[in-house]
Amino acid sequence: EEKTVQRPSSLTIAAAPPTNKDRQRFLVEKLAELGVARLIWLKTAHGQDRLANGAKVFSWVHAAVEQSRGAYLMETSDELIGLSELEGEVVICHPGGAANPGRADVIAIGPEGGFSDEEVPEGARLWDLGPTTLRVETAAIVAAISASSK
């Protein structure tokens, strides 16, 4: 039986790629399972530039959505873009930000070393995810779950 279901989220996560492919896979699978609409890879000063093959990433998304019985495939980018290229209401996860940033279309997650001060646009909305330093994939999951509960 077919039925129309509403997309669970319109949220976009923009994240610096984790340093190894297994961690990239974990990030992709968990965000797809959570119903995130789109994943954009960020080019950052402290991050790495190696992305998994687009076909491989699609297979990770497909398997995660199938396993979680989701109705929508998460869109993923095949290239890296900078923070300044993000569109919509962007919130950047960065120490010293607000505890509750409010509504966001896009949540940006930095690399292991964090965003450099030069990368963070002046006047950007910042979100502090807590007192500990989180790995990219953990921060993305925390942000996606927190944003969906608002």
Side-chain angles (χ1 to χ4, degrees), residues 56-80:
K56 179 63 74 182
V57 172
F58 177 80
S59 72
W60 299 339
V61 170
H62 189 271
V65 170
E66 185 176 299
Q67 182 278 327
S68 63
R69 297 184 181 179
Y72 292 93
L73 292 174
M74 179 177 69
E75 296 175 32
T76 58
S77 63
D78 290 336
E79 58 189 42
L80 297 158

Short mmCIF file of all heavy atoms in Angstrom, two decimals, residues 56-80:
data_model
loop_
_atom_site.label_atom_id
_atom_site.label_comp_id
_atom_site.label_asym_id
_atom_site.label_seq_id
_atom_site.Cartn_x
_atom_site.Cartn_y
_atom_site.Cartn_z
N LYS A 56 29.49 5.82 -3.71
CA LYS A 56 29.62 5.13 -2.42
C LYS A 56 28.76 5.85 -1.37
O LYS A 56 28.05 5.22 -0.59
CB LYS A 56 31.09 5.10 -2.00
CG LYS A 56 31.37 4.44 -0.69
CD LYS A 56 31.02 2.98 -0.65
CE LYS A 56 32.01 2.15 -1.42
NZ LYS A 56 31.67 0.73 -1.43
N VAL A 57 28.82 7.18 -1.35
CA VAL A 57 28.02 7.95 -0.40
C VAL A 57 26.54 7.70 -0.64
O VAL A 57 25.77 7.50 0.31
CB VAL A 57 28.35 9.46 -0.49
CG1 VAL A 57 27.38 10.28 0.34
CG2 VAL A 57 29.79 9.73 -0.05
N PHE A 58 26.12 7.67 -1.90
CA PHE A 58 24.72 7.38 -2.21
C PHE A 58 24.32 6.01 -1.68
O PHE A 58 23.23 5.85 -1.13
CB PHE A 58 24.44 7.47 -3.71
CG PHE A 58 23.03 7.12 -4.06
CD1 PHE A 58 22.01 8.05 -3.89
CD2 PHE A 58 22.69 5.84 -4.50
CE1 PHE A 58 20.68 7.72 -4.18
CE2 PHE A 58 21.38 5.50 -4.78
CZ PHE A 58 20.38 6.45 -4.63
N SER A 59 25.21 5.02 -1.82
CA SER A 59 24.88 3.67 -1.32
C SER A 59 24.73 3.68 0.20
O SER A 59 23.89 2.97 0.75
CB SER A 59 25.92 2.64 -1.77
OG SER A 59 27.14 2.80 -1.07
N TRP A 60 25.54 4.49 0.90
CA TRP A 60 25.41 4.60 2.35
C TRP A 60 24.07 5.21 2.73
O TRP A 60 23.39 4.75 3.65
CB TRP A 60 26.53 5.43 2.95
CG TRP A 60 27.92 4.91 2.75
CD1 TRP A 60 28.29 3.61 2.48
CD2 TRP A 60 29.13 5.66 2.82
NE1 TRP A 60 29.65 3.53 2.37
CE2 TRP A 60 30.19 4.77 2.58
CE3 TRP A 60 29.41 6.99 3.06
CZ2 TRP A 60 31.53 5.18 2.58
CZ3 TRP A 60 30.73 7.40 3.06
CH2 TRP A 60 31.78 6.50 2.82
N VAL A 61 23.69 6.28 2.01
CA VAL A 61 22.40 6.94 2.27
C VAL A 61 21.26 5.96 2.03
O VAL A 61 20.35 5.81 2.85
CB VAL A 61 22.22 8.20 1.39
CG1 VAL A 61 20.80 8.72 1.47
CG2 VAL A 61 23.22 9.27 1.77
N HIS A 62 21.31 5.29 0.89
CA HIS A 62 20.25 4.35 0.51
C HIS A 62 20.08 3.25 1.55
O HIS A 62 18.96 2.95 2.00
CB HIS A 62 20.54 3.76 -0.87
CG HIS A 62 19.40 2.97 -1.42
ND1 HIS A 62 19.24 1.63 -1.16
CD2 HIS A 62 18.35 3.35 -2.18
CE1 HIS A 62 18.15 1.20 -1.76
NE2 HIS A 62 17.59 2.23 -2.38
N ALA A 63 21.19 2.65 1.98
CA ALA A 63 21.13 1.57 2.97
C ALA A 63 20.58 2.08 4.30
O ALA A 63 19.78 1.40 4.95
CB ALA A 63 22.52 0.96 3.15
N ALA A 64 21.00 3.27 4.72
CA ALA A 64 20.54 3.83 6.00
C ALA A 64 19.04 4.13 5.97
O ALA A 64 18.32 3.85 6.93
CB ALA A 64 21.32 5.09 6.34
N VAL A 65 18.57 4.70 4.87
CA VAL A 65 17.16 5.04 4.76
C VAL A 65 16.31 3.75 4.69
O VAL A 65 15.25 3.66 5.31
CB VAL A 65 16.90 5.96 3.55
CG1 VAL A 65 15.41 6.12 3.28
CG2 VAL A 65 17.54 7.31 3.78
N GLU A 66 16.82 2.78 3.97
CA GLU A 66 16.10 1.50 3.88
C GLU A 66 16.01 0.84 5.26
O GLU A 66 14.96 0.38 5.67
CB GLU A 66 16.83 0.58 2.90
CG GLU A 66 16.11 -0.72 2.64
CD GLU A 66 16.81 -1.55 1.58
OE1 GLU A 66 16.92 -1.06 0.44
OE2 GLU A 66 17.25 -2.67 1.92
N GLN A 67 17.13 0.80 5.97
CA GLN A 67 17.17 0.17 7.29
C GLN A 67 16.25 0.88 8.27
O GLN A 67 15.58 0.25 9.08
CB GLN A 67 18.61 0.16 7.81
CG GLN A 67 18.82 -0.50 9.16
CD GLN A 67 18.50 0.39 10.35
OE1 GLN A 67 18.68 1.60 10.31
NE2 GLN A 67 17.97 -0.20 11.39
N SER A 68 16.19 2.22 8.20
CA SER A 68 15.39 2.98 9.15
C SER A 68 13.94 3.19 8.68
O SER A 68 13.17 3.86 9.35
CB SER A 68 16.04 4.34 9.42
OG SER A 68 16.08 5.12 8.24
N ARG A 69 13.63 2.61 7.52
CA ARG A 69 12.29 2.72 6.93
C ARG A 69 11.90 4.16 6.64
O ARG A 69 10.76 4.57 6.79
CB ARG A 69 11.25 2.05 7.80
CG ARG A 69 11.47 0.58 7.95
CD ARG A 69 10.38 -0.07 8.73
NE ARG A 69 10.67 -1.49 8.85
CZ ARG A 69 9.92 -2.33 9.50
NH1 ARG A 69 8.82 -1.92 10.08
NH2 ARG A 69 10.25 -3.60 9.57
N GLY A 70 12.89 4.95 6.25
CA GLY A 70 12.62 6.33 5.87
C GLY A 70 11.97 6.39 4.49
O GLY A 70 12.05 5.44 3.71
N ALA A 71 11.35 7.50 4.20
CA ALA A 71 10.67 7.66 2.91
C ALA A 71 11.43 8.56 1.95
O ALA A 71 11.12 8.61 0.77
CB ALA A 71 9.27 8.22 3.14
N TYR A 72 12.43 9.28 2.45
CA TYR A 72 13.16 10.24 1.61
C TYR A 72 14.66 10.01 1.72
O TYR A 72 15.19 9.82 2.82
CB TYR A 72 12.86 11.68 2.06
CG TYR A 72 11.44 12.10 1.79
CD1 TYR A 72 10.46 11.95 2.76
CD2 TYR A 72 11.08 12.63 0.56
CE1 TYR A 72 9.14 12.33 2.51
CE2 TYR A 72 9.78 13.01 0.31
CZ TYR A 72 8.81 12.85 1.28
OH TYR A 72 7.53 13.22 1.02
N LEU A 73 15.32 10.05 0.57
CA LEU A 73 16.77 9.96 0.56
C LEU A 73 17.37 11.32 0.88
O LEU A 73 16.91 12.34 0.38
CB LEU A 73 17.28 9.51 -0.81
CG LEU A 73 16.94 8.07 -1.21
CD1 LEU A 73 17.39 7.82 -2.65
CD2 LEU A 73 17.59 7.08 -0.27
N MET A 74 18.39 11.33 1.72
CA MET A 74 19.10 12.56 2.02
C MET A 74 19.94 12.94 0.80
O MET A 74 20.63 12.10 0.22
CB MET A 74 20.01 12.34 3.23
CG MET A 74 20.83 13.56 3.63
SD MET A 74 21.81 13.27 5.13
CE MET A 74 23.03 12.09 4.54
N GLU A 75 19.88 14.20 0.41
CA GLU A 75 20.72 14.70 -0.68
C GLU A 75 22.13 14.92 -0.13
O GLU A 75 22.29 15.34 1.01
CB GLU A 75 20.19 16.03 -1.21
CG GLU A 75 18.84 15.96 -1.85
CD GLU A 75 18.34 17.35 -2.23
OE1 GLU A 75 19.16 18.22 -2.56
OE2 GLU A 75 17.12 17.54 -2.16
N THR A 76 23.14 14.65 -0.96
CA THR A 76 24.52 14.90 -0.56
C THR A 76 25.24 15.63 -1.67
O THR A 76 24.91 15.49 -2.85
CB THR A 76 25.29 13.59 -0.25
OG1 THR A 76 25.25 12.75 -1.40
CG2 THR A 76 24.67 12.86 0.94
N SER A 77 26.25 16.41 -1.29
CA SER A 77 27.04 17.13 -2.29
C SER A 77 28.25 16.29 -2.67
O SER A 77 28.69 15.44 -1.90
CB SER A 77 27.48 18.50 -1.74
OG SER A 77 28.31 18.33 -0.62
N ASP A 78 28.78 16.55 -3.86
CA ASP A 78 29.97 15.84 -4.33
C ASP A 78 31.21 16.71 -4.27
O ASP A 78 32.28 16.30 -4.70
CB ASP A 78 29.77 15.37 -5.78
CG ASP A 78 28.75 14.26 -5.89
OD1 ASP A 78 28.53 13.54 -4.91
OD2 ASP A 78 28.19 14.10 -6.99
N GLU A 79 31.05 17.93 -3.78
CA GLU A 79 32.18 18.85 -3.74
C GLU A 79 32.18 19.60 -2.42
O GLU A 79 31.19 19.62 -1.69
CB GLU A 79 32.12 19.82 -4.91
CG GLU A 79 30.85 20.65 -4.95
CD GLU A 79 30.72 21.46 -6.22
OE1 GLU A 79 31.02 20.95 -7.30
OE2 GLU A 79 30.30 22.63 -6.09
N LEU A 80 33.30 20.22 -2.14
CA LEU A 80 33.45 21.02 -0.92
C LEU A 80 33.14 22.48 -1.21
O LEU A 80 33.52 23.00 -2.27
CB LEU A 80 34.90 20.93 -0.43
CG LEU A 80 35.37 19.53 -0.02
CD1 LEU A 80 36.88 19.45 -0.08
CD2 LEU A 80 34.87 19.18 1.35
#
